[in-house]
């Protein structure tokens, strides 16, 4: 999953919200540990990339749930993605 943010958005705050979101979705695995990092720097924004391990059975359902959870949690936290 790749998410883009303006440089005015604090990356550590984004990471914190993402870690909480990932940890709360059923079907995401704790081991191996998920990876969250800045995947790309552009002139007006940066991209945070996530690598999350999930059970093979139910992958698509977990993916959809995780993406919805991330979107809702970012909104609730006032974290706004770049347009």
């Amino acid at each position: 999953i790749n998410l883009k943010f303006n440089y005015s958005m604090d990356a550590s705050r984004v990471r914190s919200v993402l870690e909480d979101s990932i940890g709360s979705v059923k079907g995401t695995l704790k081991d191996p540990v998920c990876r969250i990092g800045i995947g790309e720097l552009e002139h007006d924004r940066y991209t945070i990339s996530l690598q999350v391990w999930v059970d093979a059975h139910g992958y698509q359902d977990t993916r959809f749930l995780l993406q919805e959870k991330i979107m809702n949690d970012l909104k609730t936290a006032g974290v706004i993605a770049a347009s």
Side-chain angles (χ1 to χ4, degrees):
I1 299 172
N2 294 307
L3 303 164
K4 295 179 184 267
F5 298 93
N6 294 322
Y7 285 111
S8 61
M9 189 57 56
D10 180 38
S12 62
R13 183 170 176 220
V14 174
R15 175 189 288 273
S16 177
V17 173
L18 295 174
E19 287 171 343
D20 291 345
S21 297
I22 293 165
S24 69
V25 172
K26 183 180 175 186
T28 59
L29 303 178
K30 308 294 182 227
D31 187 40
V33 177
C34 68
R35 293 167 46 171
I36 302 171
I38 296 177
E40 188 174 348
L41 299 173
E42 299 177 38
H43 73 283
D44 61 344
R45 61 187 166 198
Y46 64 95
T47 301
I48 290 194
S49 298
L50 291 85
Q51 293 179 336
V52 181
W53 295 94
V54 300
D55 291 320
H57 180 72
Y59 162 78
Q60 210 54 290
D61 291 333
T62 303
R63 180 174 169 251
F64 293 149
L65 288 171
L66 178 59
Q67 290 183 139
E68 183 175 348
K69 177 71 172 152
I70 287 170
M71 180 185 68
N72 291 331
D73 288 354
L74 289 172
K75 283 182 183 180
T76 298
V79 175
I80 301 176
S83 54

